[in-house]
Amino acid sequence: MDVKKNRQVCLAHLPQIKHKLSIAGVLTKTASWRSNDKESTAQIDLLIERNDKVINLCEMKYASEEFIIDKSYDEILRNKRGVFRAQTKTKKAIHITLITTYGVRHNEYWGNIQSEVTMIDLFAF
């Protein structure tokens, strides 16, 4: 599944994502984001900017089984958060959220993830 289709599915199920993140009652704005600096490139699938001074940086990953974060992908996620913070100059907390088909394996690189949403969560109600 390509990124555009992943994003469309997630946008269609934004109430379920917010419910899973326990922010259903919080005012939010959503957008995708791409850095404008040629030296520090980053692209974020979905941002949920919350009225409680938190931004969920959402990465969407389609996988046929549990998604595994390895060292290189952990570095990519850290880079995306850093580039986003530097270029937007936000003072808000940034929480990384993975939206995956079957969840994320809780391994040594899982600690950088604040929340996850699965396909089951998207179709919960």
Side-chain angles (χ1 to χ4, degrees):
M1 190 176 270
D2 66 31
V3 172
K4 189 174 181 179
K5 287 181 184 177
N6 284 344
R7 188 170 189 279
Q8 288 173 337
V9 168
C10 289
L11 288 176
H13 294 92
L14 199 53
Q16 291 89 339
I17 293 170
K18 289 177 67 174
H19 176 77
K20 174 65 177 183
L21 297 174
S22 298
I23 60 168
V26 178
L27 276 168
T28 61
K29 291 187 267 183
T30 60
S32 57
W33 182 84
R34 184 180 305 271
S35 69
N36 56 8
D37 184 349
K38 292 180 181 177
E39 293 177 22
S40 301
T41 61
Q43 181 265 323
I44 299 169
D45 299 330
L46 176 66
L47 292 171
I48 303 174
E49 185 173 2
R50 301 161 31 178
N51 214 29
D52 61 357
K53 301 193 187 309
V54 176
I55 298 173
N56 286 86
L57 185 156
C58 302
E59 280 291 298
M60 301 168 199
K61 293 296 176 190
Y62 175 82
S64 59
E65 56 190 29
E66 195 175 51
F67 186 75
I68 300 171
I69 301 171
D70 60 13
K71 183 178 181 178
S72 65
Y73 190 64
D74 179 60
E75 289 173 7
I76 289 169
L77 290 174
R78 289 174 189 272
N79 179 64
K80 285 184 182 200
R81 181 170 47 197
V83 170
F84 177 76
R85 184 176 298 283
Q87 289 187 11
T88 63
K89 298 182 181 9
T90 186
K91 301 291 185 206
K92 295 181 178 185
I94 299 173
H95 291 183
I96 296 178
T97 300
L98 282 179
I99 303 173
T100 65
T101 318
Y102 299 107
V104 180
R105 181 164 301 155
H106 293 205
N107 64 10
E108 62 196 275
Y109 299 106
W110 161 252
N112 195 31
I113 307 302
Q114 281 73 39
S115 53
E116 66 179 291
V117 178
T118 67
M119 177 175 57
I120 291 170
D121 300 319
L122 294 181
F123 297 97
F125 57 89

